[in-house]
Amino acid sequence: LMRGLQDFRKKLNLIPDQIVTLIIQTDDYGADLVEKYKVELTKKVGLKEIQFDKCEGKVIEVNSTIFKVGIIV
């Protein structure tokens, strides 16, 4: 997930110092994973916050778990 989010940031031409909000839609298992690794994701991906909501953004699949993500600058 972390690698997919970093690739998404790169695709959006975001600079590393740019702190963003992540919108994420996933199932309960995916939400539990995000919560478990929230601190690491926030630091390594450059996030201000993570919001769980419906999202029509990029689809990232990790071990059969689907994450739809969007970024708000």
Side-chain angles (χ1 to χ4, degrees), residues 10-13 16 35 39-40 52 55 59-60 65 70 73:
K10 185 175 181 179
K11 182 179 176 184
L12 295 174
N13 295 317
E35 287 296 334
V39 172
E40 291 89 343
F52 292 94
C55 182
V59 175
I60 300 172
T65 301
V73 180

Side-chain angles (χ1 to χ4, degrees), residues 1-16:
L1 178 61
M2 194 173 311
R3 184 72 212 146
L5 292 172
Q6 290 170 331
D7 288 345
F8 189 34
R9 283 182 60 102
K10 185 175 181 179
K11 182 179 176 184
L12 295 174
N13 295 317
L14 298 174
I15 59 174

Side-chain angles (χ1 to χ4, degrees), residues 46-57:
L47 302 176
K48 177 175 22 177
E49 67 177 313
I50 300 172
Q51 298 176 3
F52 292 94
D53 203 352
K54 290 187 177 187
C55 182
E56 295 298 324

Side-chain angles (χ1 to χ4, degrees), residues 16-35:
D17 293 340
Q18 216 166 348
I19 305 300
V20 298
T21 297
L22 177 68
I23 308 297
I24 190 162
Q25 178 181 345
T26 188
D27 60 15
D28 289 340
Y29 178 75
D32 288 344
L33 284 177
V34 171
E35 287 296 334

